[in-house]
Amino acid sequence: MAATRVMMMSTTNIAFKSSFLKPQSLAFCFNKSAKLVNKKRGFACSALYKPDDVQIKEEGLPETLDYRVFFHDNTGKKISPWHDIPLHVGDGAFNFIVEIPKESSAKMEVATDEIWTPIKQDTKKGKLRYYPYNINWNYGLLPQTWEDPSHANPEVEGAFGDNDPVDVVEIGESRGKVGQLMKVKPLGVLAMIDEGELDWKVIAISLDDPKASLVNDVDDVEKHFPGTLTAIRDWFRDYKIPDGKPANNFGLGNKAANRDYALKVITETNESWAKLVKRTTPAGELSLV
């Protein structure tokens, strides 16, 4: 029998209560205590959630093909970390879901084609995937975002979206856990081009990090985390080379764009996600539950 373990997410990480996604819904938030707001930078879920815990349940054993990390609401019902957890938490902060903890190499990711979109370890030709070396930062996704594969971005060499949620590189000192939710603020963004697909990497920091108040933009990152922006770019540029693949490329001058540009990317991909769940954009094999 598959092992099942339960982890409780601290209320310091998220205050969240879920209701379930309906394909015909026009709202970006799915909660009676949340409201749809149209801010200057686009639609957002305002942080009006009760401080209920989200349960994380592991099914199967880590580093096996059956391993899954499911998200549950406070009633025990499964929810989707991609669709049901709000993007915005207010005051310019966002929910970030850790898929790969810093200093680890198992390639964990939200299974966008499985019901409830649990986190699992990626596979290739039936074998579990690992990075050739540890990733040095917490890595994961922004919920309620989507990089539309039918959209060619004119600012980044006309590259099409990679059909996934937006990735986040969280640079704080604490090591996260698979499935952990952090409140983060964006600092910049890299426009990685992976085999012709645009794969945004938002650089962010946890609001709980001791240096969070010191960094608000890319220039602050270089000042308080010297060398980190270059290290992130080089890591993502080179990680496929040991497998015999070419290095990845970057648009936008081969450097991280600033916070305002990162917020623009988040807004646009949030709007793309909204079109996806409203079914005005074809979902293909993606799960909308």
Side-chain angles (χ1 to χ4, degrees), residues 6-288:
V6 179
M7 300 179 286
M8 296 297 294
M9 301 306 296
S10 168
T11 56
T12 61
N13 289 325
I14 184 171
F16 171 65
K17 183 177 181 181
S18 171
S19 60
F20 293 94
L21 180 66
K22 295 180 174 59
Q24 69 272 21
S25 173
L26 296 180
F28 287 53
C29 306
F30 310 101
N31 189 286
K32 291 181 180 179
S33 60
K35 63 181 180 180
L36 185 66
V37 292
N38 188 350
K39 293 185 177 180
K40 183 178 180 181
R41 294 191 180 277
F43 287 94
C45 290
S46 59
L48 299 176
Y49 295 87
K50 295 180 180 180
D52 298 328
D53 287 338
V54 173
Q55 287 189 1
I56 305 299
K57 293 186 179 181
E58 298 176 286
E59 296 186 8
L61 297 175
E63 299 189 80
T64 67
L65 295 173
D66 296 328
Y67 180 66
R68 298 290 186 276
V69 177
F70 284 95
F71 288 63
H72 295 246
D73 68 11
N74 63 320
T75 70
K77 295 179 180 179
K78 286 181 177 177
I79 59 175
S80 165
W82 182 20
H83 300 308
D84 292 326
I85 291 176
L87 171 62
H88 290 251
V89 293
D91 296 327
F94 298 84
N95 280 319
F96 158 60
I97 302 168
V98 178
E99 294 169 304
I100 305 173
K102 65 187 300 183
E103 307 306 334
S104 66
S105 64
K107 194 175 185 303
M108 308 299 296
E109 62 180 23
V110 163
T112 57
D113 60 347
E114 295 185 11
I115 189 170
W116 304 120
T117 63
I119 296 175
K120 69 172 185 178
Q121 189 167 350
D122 192 23
T123 60
K124 185 175 182 180
K125 297 181 179 179
K127 295 184 178 180
L128 297 172
R129 292 187 65 187
Y130 295 84
Y131 290 122
Y133 31 74
N134 285 352
I135 190 166
N136 306 124
W137 312 273
N138 294 312
Y139 185 56
L141 74 140
L142 290 175
Q144 297 186 344
T145 62
W146 180 56
E147 299 173 17
D148 186 349
S150 69
H151 173 67
N153 192 307
E155 298 177 2
V156 189
E157 303 178 20
F160 291 86
D162 75 345
N163 203 31
D164 282 324
V166 170
D167 296 325
V168 174
V169 183
E170 193 278 319
I171 64 174
E173 67 177 20
S174 297
R175 185 178 189 267
K177 298 179 180 179
V178 176
Q180 181 177 349
L181 279 78
M182 295 183 182
K183 294 178 182 178
V184 301
K185 60 178 175 180
L187 307 170
V189 65
L190 284 162
M192 191 177 90
I193 303 173
D194 182 356
E195 298 182 13
E197 294 180 338
L198 179 55
D199 187 0
W200 293 108
K201 307 295 181 188
V202 170
I203 299 160
I205 190 167
S206 169
L207 296 186
D208 293 329
D209 191 82
K211 292 185 178 180
S213 63
L214 302 176
V215 287
N216 296 290
D217 216 320
V218 286
D219 292 339
D220 299 327
V221 177
E222 192 57 38
K223 179 179 179 180
H224 295 283
F225 295 84
T228 295
L229 295 173
T230 299
I232 292 172
R233 184 198 61 200
D234 292 354
W235 196 97
F236 283 99
R237 181 191 64 196
D238 297 340
Y239 79 91
K240 290 187 175 182
I241 292 177
D243 293 331
K245 293 186 176 181
N248 289 318
N249 299 314
F250 293 87
L252 304 180
N254 199 40
K255 62 182 181 180
N258 64 17
R259 175 182 178 273
D260 282 345
Y261 201 97
L263 293 174
K264 172 177 175 285
V265 169
I266 294 170
T267 296
E268 290 175 350
T269 54
N270 177 230
E271 292 169 351
S272 294
W273 168 84
K275 293 176 184 177
L276 176 71
V277 297
K278 289 186 291 184
R279 299 184 186 270
T280 58
T281 298
E285 296 181 358
L286 298 174
S287 173
L288 300 184

